[in-house]
Amino acid sequence: MNSDQLQADPTGTRVGIAYKVRNMAFFYGGVKKALDNINVDLASRAVTAIIGPSGCGKSTFLKSLNRIAEAETKVRIDGQIELFGQNIYDPVVNLTRLRRRVGMVFQRPNPFPMSIFDNIAYGPRVFGMKGNLAEIVESSLKKAALWNEVKDNLKKSALGLSGGQQQRLCIARSLAVNPDVLLMDEPCSALDPIATLRIEELIESLREQLTIIIVTHNMQQAGRCSQYTLFFNTDESRIGQLVEAGPTRDIFFSPKDKRTEDYITGRFG
Ligand SMILES: Nc1ncnc2c1ncn2[C@@H]1O[C@H](COP(=O)(O)OP(=O)(O)OP(=O)(O)O)[C@@H](O)[C@H]1O
């Protein structure tokens, strides 16, 4: 996806660029190449879905956008990833600050074993954010559409919430530190259809304030939730590559690459 495609914004408003990824290659353990030659611009204040068959590098790409991959294992990243004009792999980048700007929600909800209030207050406390903590907790839970369900139980353990509520809690926890970007790695894969629908509604309600990038195996979800889509696949050497990127309606209804069409129509993957 390039700037021209971004400007053909399906929402009808001109969007900016959050991430510029150039000639990016990703290696696990310094040797196993998981991604190669990734070049793409990602729109700000929009939802970008990442789709593709298992093992094509979707999560790897997502985890390179807030440098969380390197916290998990030894990796090497070549090329450049800029976030709002700053190279996030520049040695001067403060990783704590970067990960505050770029929040992440995982496949399985991972609330901390503490109260609902303390889960949300955790980030603001760590970062010494100014403002009334109770107000930050309330507004974050409201943004995550969870306030009405938990407002009388803020002191209760977050582990007592349902899976769908826990996932909205984790989203609220990310929102509490005012991120610019929210990365979501299959956030609904452990949820039932009703809880999934609530998360999708939440994504829609957040999209104008945030840049959201979501990995999903669910085509309908990508179609419902996103304005832009990236289709990843592996090449003949099993290395992940970005096959096609663009507005979601183009990827779904008039893909340029045969591999995208085969995947979308279920002939492959
Ligand atoms: N920690 C790791 N160490 C070594 N190789 C890894 C590691 N994590 C992922 N890989 C490899 O990198 C490649 C891409 O994996 P990744 O999890 O990013 O794919 P994915 O498209 O998200 O897959 P899925 O849809 O199954 O979650 C795969 O070959 C995988 O085995």
Side-chain angles (χ1 to χ4, degrees), residues 108-121:
R108 300 215 157 262
N110 58 348
F112 302 141
M114 50 180 79
S115 72
I116 293 168
F117 185 97
D118 286 342
N119 262 273
I120 310 298

Side-chain angles (χ1 to χ4, degrees), residues 26-29 32-35 50-63 69 72-75 107 185-186 215-217 232 234 238-240 263:
F26 188 106
F27 302 81
Y28 280 107
K32 184 187 169 359
K33 207 179 208 180
L35 291 168
I50 303 180
I51 60 170
S54 195
C56 67
K58 302 179 297 295
S59 297
T60 299
F61 179 71
L62 196 73
K63 287 192 263 181
E72 295 175 354
T73 183
K74 186 173 160 4
V75 305
Q107 221 167 327
D185 197 353
E186 296 186 55
V215 168
T216 179
H217 274 285
F232 281 77
T234 45
R238 311 287 310 152
I239 298 170
Y263 186 74

Side-chain angles (χ1 to χ4, degrees), residues 2 5 17 33 60 66-67 78 90 110 124 139-140 157 161 173 179 188 197 208 224 234 236:
N2 55 35
Q5 285 170 308
I17 295 171
K33 207 179 208 180
T60 299
N66 68 347
R67 295 186 59 178
D78 293 349
D90 190 314
N110 58 348
S139 77
S140 306
S157 169
L161 297 171
R173 191 174 64 193
C188 302
L197 189 65
E208 287 184 1
R224 283 192 298 264
T234 45
E236 54 290 340

Side-chain angles (χ1 to χ4, degrees), residues 1-251:
M1 191 151 46
N2 55 35
S3 306
D4 288 347
Q5 285 170 308
L6 284 183
Q7 291 310 333
D9 178 12
T11 62
T13 52
R14 285 175 72 84
V15 294
I17 295 171
Y19 282 99
K20 275 189 189 189
V21 181
R22 295 292 177 270
N23 303 318
M24 194 271 249
F26 188 106
F27 302 81
Y28 280 107
V31 285
K32 184 187 169 359
K33 207 179 208 180
L35 291 168
D36 194 22
N37 194 29
I38 310 292
N39 288 284
V40 70
D41 292 345
L42 303 177
S44 67
R45 293 174 194 266
V47 181
T48 299
I50 303 180
I51 60 170
S54 195
C56 67
K58 302 179 297 295
S59 297
T60 299
F61 179 71
L62 196 73
K63 287 192 263 181
S64 69
L65 299 176
N66 68 347
R67 295 186 59 178
I68 202 78
E70 68 202 65
E72 295 175 354
T73 183
K74 186 173 160 4
V75 305
R76 193 182 100 216
I77 290 112
D78 293 349
Q80 208 170 8
I81 301 182
E82 282 184 6
L83 174 59
F84 295 114
Q86 184 188 26
N87 176 10
I88 63 167
Y89 283 90
D90 190 314
V92 302
V93 166
N94 177 311
L95 285 182
T96 311
R97 233 177 277 152
L98 174 69
R99 292 176 192 146
R100 174 181 169 179
R101 278 183 85 187
V102 187
M104 189 153 190
V105 174
F106 298 88
Q107 221 167 327
R108 300 215 157 262
N110 58 348
F112 302 141
M114 50 180 79
S115 72
I116 293 168
F117 185 97
D118 286 342
N119 262 273
I120 310 298
Y122 186 88
R125 280 181 178 134
V126 166
F127 291 113
M129 280 170 63
K130 295 201 175 69
N132 180 314
L133 210 48
E135 282 172 13
I136 294 174
V137 170
E138 180 173 338
S139 77
S140 306
L141 287 166
K142 280 182 174 162
K143 281 187 214 158
L146 188 59
W147 175 249
N148 286 340
E149 289 157 71
V150 300
K151 62 177 191 268
D152 299 324
N153 295 312
L154 293 177
K155 291 199 171 135
K156 288 209 174 132
S157 169
L159 301 180
L161 297 171
S162 72
Q165 288 173 325
Q166 288 189 8
Q167 196 61 304
R168 278 181 281 140
L169 179 93
C170 293
I171 294 170
R173 191 174 64 193
S174 295
L175 297 177
V177 295
N178 291 328
D180 295 325
V181 181
L182 191 58
L183 307 176
M184 306 180 103
D185 197 353
E186 296 186 55
C188 302
S189 64
L191 305 182
D192 66 34
I194 291 171
T196 296
L197 189 65
R198 300 213 60 178
I199 300 283
E200 290 182 6
E201 287 168 353
L202 175 55
I203 290 171
E204 171 62 22
S205 76
L206 293 172
R207 98 176 146 78
E208 287 184 1
Q209 314 151 38
L210 274 176
T211 295
I212 298 178
I213 303 168
I214 175 170
V215 168
T216 179
H217 274 285
N218 181 329
M219 293 295 158
Q220 284 87 1
Q221 181 167 74
R224 283 192 298 264
C225 289
S226 70
Q227 289 74 55
Y228 298 97
T229 295
L230 314 185
F231 171 60
F232 281 77
N233 202 349
T234 45
D235 64 13
E236 54 290 340
S237 316
R238 311 287 310 152
I239 298 170
Q241 57 176 195
L242 176 60
V243 175
E244 191 167 346
T248 296
R249 58 164 183 245
D250 294 353
I251 298 289

